[in-house]
Amino acid sequence: RLPLIPDITDRERNLEAIARFLKEHGVRRVRLLPNNPTWRKKQLDLGRESPFAEDSPIWKWLPPERLAASRSIFLAHSIAVE
């Protein structure tokens, strides 16, 4: 399972390195988890402060084209994507 957070974990260089690492270690499948910022409301409802700035990428949805680009990186390394 690989969380994809815009501008943090979904960068091409990062994903290429992860794909190479997984392939070297015999991993043949990965599940990509696009960022879902709706957990923020739950956090606020519980009265908890966020350690992240208001403009942090953690609050953004992953655009569909970035998910597609991420998928293609793993597929290019012969790693199936769920």
Side-chain angles (χ1 to χ4, degrees):
R1 295 174 43 159
L2 178 64
L4 296 175
I5 301 170
D7 301 321
I8 297 176
T9 61
D10 76 326
R11 294 180 183 241
E12 184 177 352
R13 182 175 175 204
N14 182 54
L15 296 174
E16 284 285 347
I18 292 170
R20 283 192 306 273
F21 177 86
L22 294 177
K23 189 170 185 176
E24 288 170 9
H25 289 84
V27 176
R28 292 184 261 155
R29 184 177 7 170
V30 67
R31 177 174 291 167
L32 300 179
L33 304 172
N35 191 48
N36 181 343
T38 59
W39 62 271
R40 184 176 191 204
K41 181 176 177 344
K42 289 182 184 181
Q43 184 180 40
L44 295 174
D45 289 347
L46 293 170
R48 296 188 177 173
E49 294 288 325
S50 171
F52 302 105
E54 288 295 318
D55 61 348
S56 173
I58 197 83
W59 306 127
K60 296 179 185 176
W61 289 92
L62 184 73
E65 63 273 9
R66 304 247 313 251
L67 177 58
S70 299
R71 289 177 55 86
S72 66
I73 289 171
F74 289 94
L75 293 173
H77 288 273
S78 301
I79 298 173
V81 178
E82 294 181 11

